[in-house]
C-alpha cells in the first residue's frame, strides 16, 4: 500500500453533529475484508415504504455492485430496504465472480433483515481485480443486524473510508407545515491510492415523504449541480455511487417543497466540497466561476477544462496567478470563446480583459489571493447568459507521492 | 523563471546529421527578445514556387501569429516564401497589439528578402500576455538576410527552443525516378515552463515537387497519425504550429509517391516522439497500442484517455503495472467497451482478459517491463477492427517542479 497521508490541511475541524433521521438505522462491523483493526462494513436498514433513488458512474467498465444497483432502482417502494457497503475491496473487474459475490451478500442481508433482496443495494470500494471475500461479510450479518441503531451514522461514515483522511458527513433540518424534516448524508472519496481508484460513495437519508420518481428526478438534477461539478484529477471510478433514501417517517410530503430541495442541495454541495477537500495531495480548494458563456453547458465545459488542466492546477499549487494558463484552458475546452471578450479575475482582482492583461493589474494583488487556502478563479466569456460553478483542488507533489508509489 | 532542467533522460544522443534540402536557406540571430546570450530568431527563406501547407492549434484563444498564418495559407504558390520564428515571447493574448507586431515583422521580412508579405509566415513562442518587442527583431533583419545559408538548419532548431532540453530534428532521403528527394524537419516543444505554455512548433522542408493542395492534404492526414497522437499533459497551446514546405528544387514530383508519404510520415513521427521524450519531467516513454475497437476513432479515444489519465501516468512513473487504472481509463473514455471482452498487456505480458486478471499473470513479469525506459501498454477491446497507437510520457515530481514554480 502507498503511504497513508495525514489529515488533509483542507479538512473541516471534525465530523459534524448530524441530526437523527427517523426510519433509518445503521450498524458497522470489522469483518477483515482487507483492513485489520478497523470497521469495514456498514449496513443501513430503511423502514417500510422508503423511496430509493440513485446516480452511478457512467464508466463502461463499472463494477458488479453498480450494475446490480442500477438493475434494482425504480422497483416498487414496498417493504423495507437496505444498503450494505464494504471497504477494502471494490469487487470491480472481477469477472463473473463479482456478480456471485453481490448475490451472496444481498441474499444474506435479505435473510437476516427481512428485506426483499430486490431492495438490497450494495457497494464495494477498495482494491480492484481481486475476488471479494464475501464470506467474511456474510458471517458478520447477524452481528450487524443486531447492532442496528438510528444514532450510528458517524460509525457508518468511518466504516466506508478507504484512504480518506477524514470521515465526511453533512446534515440539515427544516420546518415544513409545522413539522421538522431532517436530511443527513455521509460519503467517502477522493483518497485514491495505489492500487485503488478514486471511488466516491455517497449515501443521503431523509425522513421526508418523497415519491420515488420525484426523488430520482430531484437527485439527478441536484447531482448535476454538485457532485458532477467537482473534479480532483479528471479520472472516473468504476464504482462511483450516490444514493438518496426518503423514509417518510416525518409524515411530511416534501416532494414539491423548494425549501426541501434547497436544503438537500446544500447538504449535497457540502459533501461534494468535502470530497474535493480530501483530494489527494490537495493544499488549495479552488472555486471556478464561469459567467457570460453562450449556454450553461458551455460554461460548465469551460469550468471543467480549467479545473482539470494540469498546468492550471500546478500553477495553483505554486501560488502563481498564471492567467495565461486559464486562457489556454478556455481555448482548448471546445466550447465557444472569443479571446478578445474574455475577462479573468483571481479573487477580487481583475487580471485580464479585452484580450489582454488589464491595464490596472498589479501581480502582487493576485499573488496575495493565491496564498490563501480557498481560491476563486472567475471567468466571464462576454458572450451570453450561460453560467456554472465548479470546484477542484491543486496538483501537488503529494498527488505524485500517493499515486506513483509502488504497491507492496 | 522556473528552473531549467537538465537534458531529458529520454533524449536522443545528439542532434541528427540532417541532409541538406535544396531551395531553403536558414539564418539565426540573437535579438534579445527576452533571452540573453543565445539566438532567439530564425529566418527561413524558400525559393520561388515553394508550396506551403500548415496545421495549427484548434484553440479558441490562439495567438496573433497563428491567426495570421491561417489567413495566408492556401494562397498561390508564386514567388519565394519565408518563415520567421522568435522564441522568448509568444505574442499570445496580447490584444490588438499582437496583430501590429505580426504586421511589423512580416513587412520587414518582405522588405529585406523580397518575399511578398502574404507569403511571410511567423510564429512566436515564450512568455504569454506581454507585448512582443518586435523592434528588436526588425532591426536584426538585414543581418539575418545576409546570413542565409542552406546548411544552417541545426542553428534554426536551436534558435526556436524555449525550455526544451534538447534541439529536435529529423530527416530522410529517398530515391524517386532515379533522383534523390530530401526531407528535413525541426521542432521545439513540450518543455513547458512558467509562465509559458506547451507550445509545439514544427517546420518540415522538402525539395520534392508537391502541388499545394496535395501538400496540405498529405500534411493533415499524416498529422493525425503523428502529432495528433502524442500527449504530455492534455493541455493545448494557443500557438501550436506545424508547417510543411516543398521547394521543388529536386525536380521530382512526389505528390503521388507512397514512398515519399512514408518517408514524410517517418520524419514526422520521429519528431513527434522527440517532443514526447522532452515532456516535462518525463522519465518513461510510453506507447499505447489499442486494437479491437469498434472504430479507429474509438481506438484513438481509448488510447488518449489512457495516455492522459493522471492515475495511469503516475503509475507508470512509479513503475507499477497498475492495470486497474487502465481499465478505469477505458471505462471513462466514452468510447465503446465491454468489460468482459477487454484484454490488457504490459509489454509481452498478458495482464487481464475476460473481465478479470489473467490466470497466468505473474506481477513480477509486468513489473520487470515497467522498469524499462520505453514501455508498451496494449489494449484489445474485442469488439471490432478499430486500432490506433498513441504516445505519452509519465507524470512525475519533475512535472510539478517545473510547473508549480512561482514566476520571479
Amino acid at each position: 500500500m502507498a503511504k497513508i497521508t495525514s489529515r488533509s490541511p483542507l479538512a473541516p475541524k471534525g465530523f459534524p453533529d448530524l441530526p437523527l433521521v427517523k426510519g433509518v438505522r445503521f450498524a458497522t462491523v470489522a469483518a477483515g475484508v482487507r483492513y485489520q483493526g478497523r470497521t469495514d462494513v456498514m449496513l443501513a436498514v430503511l423502514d417500510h415504504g422508503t423511496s430509493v433513488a440513485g446516480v452511478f458512474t457512467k464508466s463502461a467498465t463499472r463494477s458488479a455492485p453498480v450494475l446490480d444497483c442500477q438493475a434494482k432502482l425504480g422497483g416498487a417502494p414496498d417493504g423495507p430496504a437496505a444498503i450494505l457497503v464494504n471497504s477494502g475491496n471494490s469487487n470491480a473487474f472481477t469477472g463473473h465472480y463479482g456478480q456471485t459475490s453481490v448475490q451472496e451478500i444481498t441474499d444474506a442481508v435479505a435473510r437476516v433483515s427481512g428485506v426483499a433482496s430486490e431492495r438490497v443495494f450494495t457497494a464495494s470500494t477498495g482494491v480492484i481485480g481481486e475476488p471479494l471475500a464475501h464470506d467474511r461479510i456474510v458471517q458478520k450479518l447477524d452481528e450487524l443486524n443486531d447492532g442496528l441503531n438510528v444514532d450510528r451514522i458517524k460509525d457508518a461514515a468511518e466504516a466506508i473510508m478507504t484512504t480518506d483522511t477524514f470521515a465526511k458527513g453533512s446534515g440539515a433540518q427544516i420546518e415544513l407545515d409545522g413539522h421538522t424534516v431532517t436530511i443527513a448524508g455521509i460519503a467517502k472519496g477522493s483518497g485514491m491510492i495505489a492500487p485503488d481508484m478514486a471511488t466516491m460513495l455517497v449515501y443521503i437519508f431523509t425522513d421526508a415523504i418523497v415519491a420515488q420518481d420525484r426523488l430520482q428526478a430531484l437527485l439527478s438534477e441536484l447531482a448535476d449541480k454538485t457532485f458532477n461539478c467537482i473534479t480532483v484529477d479528471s479520472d472516473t471510478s468504476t464504482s462511483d455511487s450516490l444514493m438518496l433514501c426518503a423514509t417518510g417517517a416525518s409524515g411530511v410530503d416534501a416532494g414539491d417543497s423548494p425549501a426541501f430541495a434547497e436544503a438537500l442541495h446544500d447538504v449535497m454541495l457540502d459533501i461534494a466540497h468535502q470530497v474535493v477537500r480530501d483530494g489527494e495531495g490537495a493544499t488549495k480548494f479552488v472555486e471556478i466561476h464561469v459567467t457570460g458563456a453562450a449556454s450553461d453547458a458551455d460554461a460548465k465545459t469551460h469550468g471543467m477544462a480549467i479545473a482539470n488542466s494540469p498546468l492550471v492546477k500546478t500553477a495553483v499549487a505554486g501560488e502563481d496567478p498564471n492567467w495565461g494558463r486559464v486562457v489556454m484552458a478556455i481555448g482548448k475546452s471546445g466550447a465557444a470563446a472569443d479571446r478578445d471578450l474574455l475577462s479573468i479575475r483571481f479573487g477580487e482582482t481583475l487580471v485580464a480583459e479585452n484580450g489582454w492583461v488589464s491595464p490596472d493589474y498589479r501581480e502582487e494583488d493576485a499573488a496575495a489571493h493565491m496564498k490563501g487556502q480557498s481560491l476563486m478563479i472567475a471567468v466571464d466569456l462576454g458572450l451570453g447568459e450561460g453560467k456554472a460553478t465548479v470546484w477542484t483542488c491543486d496538483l501537488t507533489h503529494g498527488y505524485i507521492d500517493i499515486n506513483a508509489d509502488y504497491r507492496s
Side-chain angles (χ1 to χ4, degrees), chain A:
Chain A
M1 295 286 287
K3 70 192 71 170
I4 302 297
T5 51
S6 55
R7 188 173 173 89
S8 167
L10 305 177
K13 287 203 175 127
F15 193 81
D17 192 13
L18 295 184
L20 300 185
V21 178
K22 283 173 285 188
V24 55
R25 294 168 299 144
F26 303 91
T28 63
V29 72
V33 171
R34 181 182 173 94
Y35 307 129
Q36 301 300 322
R38 54 158 283 188
T39 57
D40 57 358
V41 181
M42 85 105 182
L43 176 67
V45 175
L46 296 135
D47 281 0
H48 179 90
T50 295
S51 300
V52 179
V55 172
F56 298 88
T57 178
K58 293 187 174 68
S59 171
T61 56
R62 64 196 78 161
S63 69
V66 168
L67 292 167
D68 185 67
C69 285
Q70 290 182 305
K72 288 171 173 172
L73 269 187
D78 298 334
I83 297 171
L84 184 135
V85 182
N86 75 271
S87 55
N89 183 309
S90 71
N91 194 17
F93 215 64
T94 44
H96 293 294
Y97 188 90
Q99 290 158 252
T100 304
S101 291
V102 172
Q103 193 65 48
E104 293 285 335
I105 291 168
T106 54
D107 285 353
V109 170
R111 198 163 54 240
V112 303
S113 68
V115 175
S117 65
E118 310 86 69
R119 294 266 284 164
V120 178
F121 301 88
T122 71
S124 296
T125 178
V127 65
I128 188 175
E130 291 183 11
L132 174 62
H134 56 256
D135 287 350
R136 297 183 195 169
I137 297 171
V138 167
Q139 70 195 20
K140 291 286 187 180
L141 272 172
D142 282 314
E143 184 181 336
L144 272 168
N145 196 54
D146 290 346
L148 287 166
N149 197 302
V150 71
D151 67 358
R152 301 222 169 124
I153 192 168
K154 184 185 175 196
D155 296 342
E158 289 169 348
I160 65 176
M161 290 168 67
T162 54
T163 52
D164 302 62
T165 74
F166 61 92
K168 298 165 186 71
S170 182
Q173 286 189 312
I174 57 169
E175 297 297 313
L176 277 187
D177 304 332
H179 294 84
T180 300
V181 169
T182 301
I183 304 170
I186 58 172
K188 63 88 45 179
S190 266
M192 308 175 232
I193 203 156
D196 298 357
M197 290 185 292
T199 286
M200 186 183 74
L201 302 180
V202 185
Y203 299 97
I204 302 173
F205 308 94
T206 176
D207 54 13
I209 299 170
V210 186
Q212 194 153 280
D213 288 355
R214 172 63 189 145
L215 196 71
Q216 182 63 50
L218 193 59
L219 183 67
S220 298
E221 179 193 333
L222 295 179
D224 272 344
K225 297 178 183 171
T226 57
F227 295 104
N228 289 337
C229 290
I230 62 171
T231 180
V232 169
D233 63 0
S234 81
D235 278 337
T236 305
S237 166
T238 53
S239 302
D240 285 340
S241 302
L242 160 63
M243 295 189 75
L244 171 61
C245 306
T247 68
S250 69
V252 182
D253 192 326
D256 296 323
S257 162
F260 175 77
E262 186 183 338
L264 180 60
H265 168 270
D266 291 351
V267 166
M268 290 170 68
L269 190 61
D270 184 17
I271 294 175
H273 285 181
Q274 289 181 46
V275 170
V276 173
R277 286 175 178 278
D278 209 7
E280 293 165 313
T283 67
K284 307 273 188 187
F285 179 81
V286 188
E287 178 166 313
I288 297 163
H289 194 60
V290 180
T291 54
S295 66
D296 286 354
D298 267 19
K300 190 163 170 182
T301 299
H302 283 304
M304 288 304 246
I306 297 166
N308 280 323
S309 161
L311 286 174
V312 171
K313 293 164 83 79
T314 48
V316 171
E319 302 187 337
D320 176 3
N322 195 320
W323 55 273
R325 296 185 183 176
V326 177
V327 174
M328 176 279 301
I330 293 165
K332 77 163 181 171
S333 81
D338 182 327
R339 189 190 64 187
D340 297 337
L341 296 177
L342 275 178
S343 66
I344 300 170
R345 286 173 197 270
F346 283 72
E348 298 295 311
T349 303
L350 179 63
V351 174
E353 60 181 340
N354 301 322
W356 207 3
V357 65
S358 169
D360 299 329
Y361 175 59
R362 300 186 320 148
E363 184 157 302
E364 53 265 44
D365 297 337
H369 178 71
M370 300 301 286
K371 291 194 183 303
Q373 213 171 45
S374 285
L375 308 183
M376 160 76 90
I377 299 174
V379 172
D380 191 278
L381 278 299
L383 295 175
E385 301 297 316
K387 60 183 166 39
T389 305
V390 306
W391 296 270
T392 192
C393 56
D394 53 346
L395 173 58
T396 69
H397 284 295
Y399 184 87
I400 309 284
D401 278 338
I402 293 167
N403 288 301
D405 234 38
Y406 188 68
R407 292 175 292 176
S408 61

